[in-house]
Amino acid sequence: MTSKAGTAQLATLESLRLPLESYPGLSPFALDLVKGTGNAARFLPRTPLENLRPAGTPRPAALVTGLAESNMRWGNDVRRELESWGAGRTITLVAGQQVCFAGGPLLIIVKLLSLLRLRDVLAQQGFEATVFFWLATEDHDFDEVASITLNQKNGRTRLRAHGGSLRQMVGPLPVDDRLKRQLIDAVGMEQPGWLREGISYGDSFAELLTEVLRDRGVVLVDSMLPELRREGRDLFVSMVQEMDEAERRVTQRSSEIRDAGYTPQVAAADDGHYSFLYRVSDSGVRLPIRFDDGQWSVGGKRSTREEILSIAQQQPETISTGVLARPLLQDGVLGTDLFLGGPAEVSYYAQLAPLHEMFGIAQPRVGLRGHLLVGPQRILRPIADYDLSADDLFRAPEEIVVRLDPALAPKMRNAIDGSADSLEADLERIRETVLEADPQLDRSVKRRLARVRYHLDKLSEQGERAALRKDTERYGALSRLVETLNPDGAPQDRHIGWITFWMQYRDRLVERILDQVEPDAPALKVVGL
């Protein structure tokens, strides 16, 4: 779908609102859900935001205390917020993310600030809400957690650590010293506390968010917090007791999602089973708990139902959840009223919705995070200067120039191709002359003439690109725009770390996103800094 920016809307390059369809790669299910189209509502009914109400029932004291103490260790004093939530006086808003080095890509801070925006909306309606941000410290995707891509003046820089286990929880691991030094050198900062000696990826992420949010009252939740896992004991036991039925219901729901024209977010393993629960070893390795053909196993080793039930009952701190069980634990323990997620997380909820009912956990309202891209106003200026469309923002610069000046490239190609036609006749005469002298040279001549034709084609392509780049001012401005909003052909918010924007703009970055983000709306925002 094409949408013109319009010079009036970007007169000061403050922001631009585009249809969410223009965001590349957005899942059809998430788009239908937020637009109210298609079959998405069949799987995730959407109660109006204004219908949300506080729970009115007290929360477990041990959990409230554990959350308060863990946040205080990060320098995040949320005792007042937890006191209100613990008394049941507030609406519970939840989002989450795996912990990421240096804060991860832009979408993470956008998601978190989307929750704060919703809290403000509820406050205007007279309701107090508590914001929780779930830190998935149990995640084992080391390559994704221990890496970051920075967009800088001299190009993009990919920083990453090496050597992580494919199955070990990343959150408790110490941040790689070389990775710290690379970041400090790349952004030109003094070593901050959230990169101090020996700090873990989980604590580093939490302390950075604490610094950036500056007492905005966000409760950070370590997913492996012992008090939280203990509150999940009954769920873990029930899931072990009913694992076969849980798999059957997810399989059935997945089939219904496919029949409705969507793709289930989580696929079963090669053996046809889903990994709901894991046992965490003493070394932090996650071992899948499986029930297959009447046999139980933990990490591939034979076990019994009684042994696994004993672990779930007596050592719930050692139980980790997979992507389909994590929402159940989160909603069961926190009592989520509204969950805000990305397209994949929204799809998780559609796939596991039957399990909420099965395990007696209230299904929260599920919303889509805000989609928002940022850039310096001077770099966004070409949107207005050239009246670019939404589609243009995700095209290569050459493609934009072709749209703006359709005759430019064909003119160059026609000139070269015309000369090539004349040369082709000369090459054919050369071939005939050589073969008249020695017919056995036919294969050799064909091979050499093919090379000539190949280089002619390359010359034609180079000439076309040169023509498109002839207006260096225009081409340079468009290149900088695309490199900012769609670097390497991927939307900025999924690809580029927000830390460089934070280092340059500090509170302005937070305020601009908070002011402009539109959570759970069919909109993509482009925001000038």
Side-chain angles (χ1 to χ4, degrees):
M1 180 175 179
T2 301
S3 174
K4 290 290 183 179
T7 54
Q9 191 174 4
L10 273 180
T12 59
L13 298 177
E14 287 291 324
S15 68
L16 170 65
R17 190 179 195 271
L18 300 169
L20 190 56
E21 297 94 308
S22 60
Y23 184 89
L26 191 72
S27 74
F29 180 85
L31 186 60
D32 278 349
L33 183 72
V34 78
K35 291 183 66 178
T37 55
N39 296 309
R42 283 174 45 193
F43 302 101
L44 283 179
R46 308 250 291 167
T47 57
L49 188 64
E50 56 269 21
N51 287 359
L52 297 179
R53 295 292 183 272
T57 55
R59 313 289 184 175
L63 177 61
V64 173
T65 300
L67 288 168
E69 290 178 350
S70 64
N71 275 267
M72 286 297 290
R73 287 195 295 272
W74 296 319
N76 188 33
D77 188 354
V78 287
R79 289 174 295 183
R80 184 186 67 79
E81 287 78 9
L82 284 169
E83 180 183 358
S84 295
W85 176 77
R89 296 194 298 265
T90 66
I91 295 169
T92 303
L93 308 181
V94 179
Q97 190 73 31
Q98 66 192 56
V99 298
C100 290
F101 175 67
L106 179 66
L107 70 86
I108 293 180
I109 197 69
V110 171
K111 182 191 294 182
L112 205 164
L113 293 174
S114 293
L115 267 192
L116 292 181
R117 182 69 179 271
L118 286 177
R119 185 181 66 181
D120 292 343
V121 171
L122 289 168
Q124 293 169 6
Q125 297 173 358
F127 296 106
E128 183 182 356
T130 305
V131 169
F132 291 86
F133 197 70
W134 183 279
L135 311 182
T137 52
E138 63 197 300
D139 195 282
H140 58 250
D141 190 342
F142 184 85
D143 287 341
E144 189 168 350
V145 170
S147 63
I148 192 168
T149 299
L150 308 176
N151 216 6
Q152 299 178 288
K153 291 182 179 179
N154 57 349
R156 279 173 293 288
T157 303
R158 176 74 170 173
L159 310 180
R160 62 190 298 264
H162 300 272
S165 165
L166 292 178
R167 298 167 61 191
Q168 191 173 27
M169 296 191 304
V170 182
L173 298 179
V175 180
D176 183 86
D177 286 336
R178 183 169 175 269
L179 186 60
K180 293 180 199 172
R181 179 50 53 191
Q182 288 178 330
L183 177 68
I184 289 169
D185 292 344
V187 302
M189 65 179 177
E190 297 293 326
Q191 183 165 341
W194 52 270
L195 286 181
R196 65 181 176 275
E197 183 70 24
I199 195 169
S200 68
Y201 284 99
D203 287 342
S204 177
F205 184 74
E207 292 188 18
L208 172 58
L209 290 183
T210 296
E211 178 181 332
V212 171
L213 294 173
R214 294 182 182 273
D215 302 320
R216 292 181 184 269
V218 176
V219 181
L220 303 176
V221 182
D222 180 350
S223 66
M224 291 303 292
L225 183 72
E227 291 85 353
L228 185 148
R229 294 284 150 172
R230 290 175 199 140
E231 289 299 324
R233 177 187 285 109
D234 290 346
L235 172 64
F236 300 152
V237 170
S238 295
M239 292 199 76
V240 173
Q241 292 173 331
E242 302 289 343
M243 189 168 291
D244 204 28
E245 175 63 14
E247 286 203 322
R248 188 192 69 78
R249 294 197 185 194
V250 170
T251 300
Q252 180 179 340
R253 173 52 69 100
S254 300
S255 178
E256 293 168 355
I257 289 172
R258 279 190 291 270
D259 290 344
Y262 304 113
T263 300
Q265 185 64 35
V266 182
D270 291 340
D271 60 7
H273 292 282
Y274 296 92
S275 293
F276 291 110
L277 299 177
Y278 296 80
R279 174 80 191 280
V280 180
S281 72
D282 292 340
S283 61
V285 173
R286 300 171 79 208
L287 307 172
I289 298 173
R290 291 288 183 87
F291 180 64
D292 183 20
D293 196 23
Q295 299 292 330
W296 288 91
S297 65
V298 178
K301 293 185 178 181
R302 187 70 60 82
S303 185
T304 67
R305 180 175 181 271
E306 289 69 28
E307 289 172 338
I308 296 172
L309 279 173
S310 176
I311 294 170
Q313 290 170 332
Q314 299 178 26
Q315 299 175 297
E317 302 91 345
T318 68
I319 299 293
S320 173
T321 50
V323 294
L324 289 176
R326 184 267 302 161
L328 297 172
L329 174 65
Q330 168 189 281
D331 299 338
V333 173
L334 298 180
T336 311
D337 293 304
L338 183 145
F339 175 80
L340 198 70
E345 294 167 302
V346 166
S347 298
Y348 293 156
Y349 266 90
Q351 199 170 358
L352 64 87
L355 301 188
H356 278 83
E357 180 182 1
M358 177 179 175
F359 293 112
I361 298 171
Q363 169 83 53
R365 186 190 194 281
V366 178
L368 185 66
R369 70 169 174 87
H371 283 70
L372 181 146
L373 313 177
V374 300
Q377 293 190 22
R378 59 181 174 77
I379 288 181
L380 301 183
R381 186 81 200 191
I383 298 175
D385 288 347
Y386 301 113
D387 197 21
L388 299 185
S389 71
D391 294 337
D392 286 333
L393 305 185
F394 303 101
R395 288 180 170 136
E398 292 87 354
E399 293 175 346
I400 303 175
V401 174
V402 167
R403 190 189 70 76
L404 297 176
D405 195 349
L408 189 59
K411 181 179 179 181
M412 172 64 73
R413 179 173 284 276
N414 290 339
I416 294 176
D417 289 350
S419 299
D421 290 342
S422 175
L423 182 58
E424 184 69 31
D426 293 337
L427 291 176
E428 183 59 28
R429 283 193 292 272
I430 293 173
R431 174 178 173 275
E432 292 172 355
T433 301
V434 172
L435 294 183
E436 185 178 336
D438 186 354
Q440 296 184 2
L441 292 176
D442 188 42
R443 284 187 61 187
S444 176
V445 171
K446 285 181 178 178
R447 186 170 62 250
R448 283 170 170 76
L449 292 183
R451 290 178 186 172
V452 173
R453 294 185 179 99
Y454 168 79
H455 287 294
L456 279 173
D457 287 339
K458 297 300 290 183
L459 179 62
S460 180
E461 292 175 8
Q462 291 173 350
E464 182 178 319
R465 287 197 296 271
L468 297 176
R469 297 173 180 175
K470 187 175 181 180
D471 184 341
T472 56
E473 180 178 350
R474 178 176 66 177
Y475 184 81
L478 294 174
S479 295
R480 288 187 291 272
L481 176 69
V482 171
E483 287 169 4
T484 298
L485 300 182
N486 195 44
D488 300 322
Q492 173 202 67
D493 62 337
R494 294 204 308 252
H495 188 49
I496 301 297
W498 55 268
I499 188 67
T500 49
F501 294 113
W502 162 250
M503 293 300 300
Q504 183 175 359
Y505 296 100
R506 296 286 175 168
D507 286 347
R508 177 168 172 77
L509 174 69
V510 175
E511 295 295 343
R512 291 290 294 140
I513 295 175
L514 190 56
D515 178 63
Q516 292 292 329
V517 69
E518 294 188 36
D520 207 27
L524 167 65
K525 299 296 287 289
V526 179
V527 176
L529 299 174

